[in-house]
Every structure is written in structure tokens, then in C-alpha cells.
Amino acid sequence: MSKAPPAPPSLQELRKEIDAIDEQVHRLLMARGDIIDRLIQVKQTQEVGSAFRPAREASMMRSLVERHRGILPLDTIESIWRVIISTFTYVQAPFSVHADVSVGEPAMRDSARFHFGFVVPYVGHFSAQAAVEAVAKSKGDLALVSAVSSRTPWWSALEAEGAPKIIARLPFLERADHPAALPVFVISRVADDAMVTEVQMWSVRVSGWNADIARALAPLAEIVAVPDTAFDGAALLVSDAGTGFEKIKAALIQAGASVRSSALVGSHATRYTVPPNGSAKP
């Protein structure tokens, strides 16, 4: 006679399992805090921007995406880890998030809270330039500005040596229905060895800018352009994701533009694109 299948666990038993896991998660977070406390003692310093580690954060997020499975939405996991990273960064060296709300205050606030939580202070500004200026005057703050449009060439303030730089683009996981879908650049001061340089960001001023030149460059790089009527041209923020800046510059010239100046103003990690089926692709 075959044995009867084991009875399924009771609701009470399942809740006990959940409670045990919750306790483990809490204890692990406290243990992480203890390690951060020891890390602060080892560093014995709060150098400007030293707590931000864009390359390490990108590596952590990639590992997160690659191992994730099950019914818990990837957006939830992304937000939890972003808040954990940001909060412990704040514990090491307190900082504020300066956000350009001219692109839409609700969307920008959603982005800031999704990626940095509620512990990190949030400061709204009415222009990207004002947000960047606030960071430049700070000891270790960061700014969030639109990554797809601008009324002013705020990135020109990043050209000087020692100025803040673009260190990330968020959200790291991109999809149309992302709960914090507004594409933003993160700007701050970060140690050179902490930067991730997969996508280089260039500030370029050109003469002779027009729609035909923009279309010619579209296959090579993402570009944010602000018209410069004084020189019949534009100030460009160019994202080089591996094409090579010299090739982009040559394409500008071949299309009829004159390159007046160029400067590297930061870099960020390659993002993941999440299609409707939920599997992330770099």
C-alpha cells in the first residue's frame, strides 16, 4: 500500500518560517552596520566623495540581477539594495541629494527616494545648474539632473580639474514601467579609482549644429544638445558607450560641424534593459 503524501505545512508553520527569515535579514543588516562601523575606524578619514564607489555599486547591482529569481519583483530588490547602499554610505559620510525639479518635481522626488531612501536629505532646485552648483560648493553631496534633456549646458561646470563629475546614470535597470523611470545623471566628487568608465561623458562645443548633424551622430552616441546662438552652434553632452570619442568627433566634422572644444566630464556603468518578460539584458 502506497503511503499518503505528507500533509502540507499549516499557515502557522509558514508564518513561523517567514518570521525566522525576517529575523535573519534584520540581524544580517545589523552585522553589515557593524562592519561599516569598523570600516570607518580603519579609514579614519572622511575625504570628499570618498564614500561613493560607483564601480563597486555597479558590480553589486549586476550580481543582484544575475542571481535574482522567484516571484519578488526585480524593482523591489533593486530599490531595497539601492537604499541599503545609500544609507550605509550616508552613515560613513553624511551627504544630501540636490535634485533639479524643473523636469517635474514628483518624478524627480520618486527617483531620489527610490534610489536613496528617506534617510538621505533631499534638496530641490529649480534648475540643473543650481543643483550642480550646490554640489560644487559642498564637501560630498550629489546632484540628480535629467539625462535626456536640458535648458542650459550645466555640464560645462564639470570640465575644470577638481570639479564634480558624472558618476552614474539611474535607474540602473531600465524599462518603460519602472517605478522610478526618469533617466537621471548622478553628479558628485569621487576618487578616480572608484569610477566606472564603461560609458564616457564628454562636454563638446560645436559651431554649425543642425538637425542633419544630430541625425548623423544618432547611431554613434546619445547626445543632449543646448543651442548656442552666439556661435551658431550648440553645447553637447555626449555619451560614448564604446564607439570612441575620436570617431564621434570625426563624424561631427564630416557632417559639417566645427568642434570648438571638448572635455571629459565623467563616466558611468552600462545600464541593464529589462524587457516585458522580466529578464535583464546589459
Side-chain angles (χ1 to χ4, degrees):
M1 182 181 293
S2 60
K3 293 182 179 181
S10 67
L11 187 61
Q12 185 176 6
E13 289 172 330
L14 291 174
R15 284 174 175 165
K16 283 184 178 180
E17 288 186 40
I18 291 173
D19 289 343
I21 292 172
D22 288 346
E23 181 179 344
Q24 291 178 49
V25 170
H26 188 195
R27 291 187 183 279
L28 287 172
L29 285 173
M30 290 188 291
R32 195 182 198 279
D34 292 339
I35 295 172
I36 294 297
D37 192 29
R38 286 154 47 199
L39 178 65
I40 294 171
Q41 295 176 35
V42 169
K43 284 184 174 181
Q44 289 297 311
T45 181
Q46 287 196 0
E47 297 176 5
V48 172
S50 61
F52 296 124
R53 313 298 294 183
R56 176 166 168 74
E57 288 184 17
S59 177
M60 291 172 67
M61 293 306 298
R62 286 197 177 97
S63 296
L64 194 71
V65 172
E66 289 165 1
R67 71 169 175 258
H68 184 64
R69 61 179 178 81
I71 65 172
L72 188 63
L74 187 55
D75 293 334
T76 302
I77 292 296
E78 179 190 10
S79 180
I80 289 171
W81 252 258
R82 283 295 319 169
V83 171
I84 288 172
I85 293 169
S86 299
T87 301
F88 280 117
T89 299
Y90 179 80
V91 169
Q92 292 182 65
F95 67 97
S96 296
V97 174
H98 298 268
D100 169 25
V101 300
S102 67
V103 296
E105 202 279 339
M108 184 58 80
R109 183 178 287 273
D110 284 350
S111 180
R113 292 314 186 197
F114 181 92
H115 294 103
F116 301 97
F118 287 87
V119 171
V120 179
Y122 171 89
V123 184
H125 297 268
F126 290 110
S127 71
Q129 184 176 353
V132 172
E133 287 177 355
V135 169
K137 295 175 182 177
S138 75
K139 293 183 177 180
D141 293 352
L142 58 80
L144 299 181
V145 302
S146 172
V148 294
S149 64
S150 180
R151 298 173 184 174
T152 60
W154 52 264
W155 50 85
S156 61
L158 313 183
E159 295 179 2
E161 185 176 353
K165 305 295 180 187
I166 295 169
I167 66 170
R169 174 171 166 157
L170 301 174
F172 186 68
L173 302 174
E174 291 195 333
R175 72 179 200 199
D177 58 348
H178 193 287
L182 180 69
V184 296
F185 287 125
V186 182
I187 298 146
S188 188
R189 290 188 177 90
V190 171
D192 290 341
D193 63 356
M195 294 287 283
V196 55
T197 59
E198 294 164 357
V199 180
Q200 292 189 328
M201 303 301 304
W202 290 85
S203 172
V204 183
R205 289 189 178 272
V206 299
S207 298
W209 178 256
N210 56 46
D212 290 336
I213 297 174
R215 282 191 289 269
L217 258 63
L220 301 178
E222 293 182 2
I223 296 175
V224 178
V226 175
D228 184 350
T229 56
F231 291 92
D232 186 31
L236 311 178
L237 180 61
V238 180
S239 300
D240 175 14
T243 299
F245 181 68
E246 289 304 316
K247 185 174 180 179
I248 295 171
K249 184 176 178 180
L252 274 168
I253 296 171
Q254 185 176 0
S258 297
V259 178
R260 293 166 45 213
S261 66
S262 61
L264 185 65
V265 293
S267 59
H268 63 79
T270 303
R271 293 107 60 199
Y272 269 90
T273 300
V274 183
N277 64 13
S279 59
K281 296 180 179 180

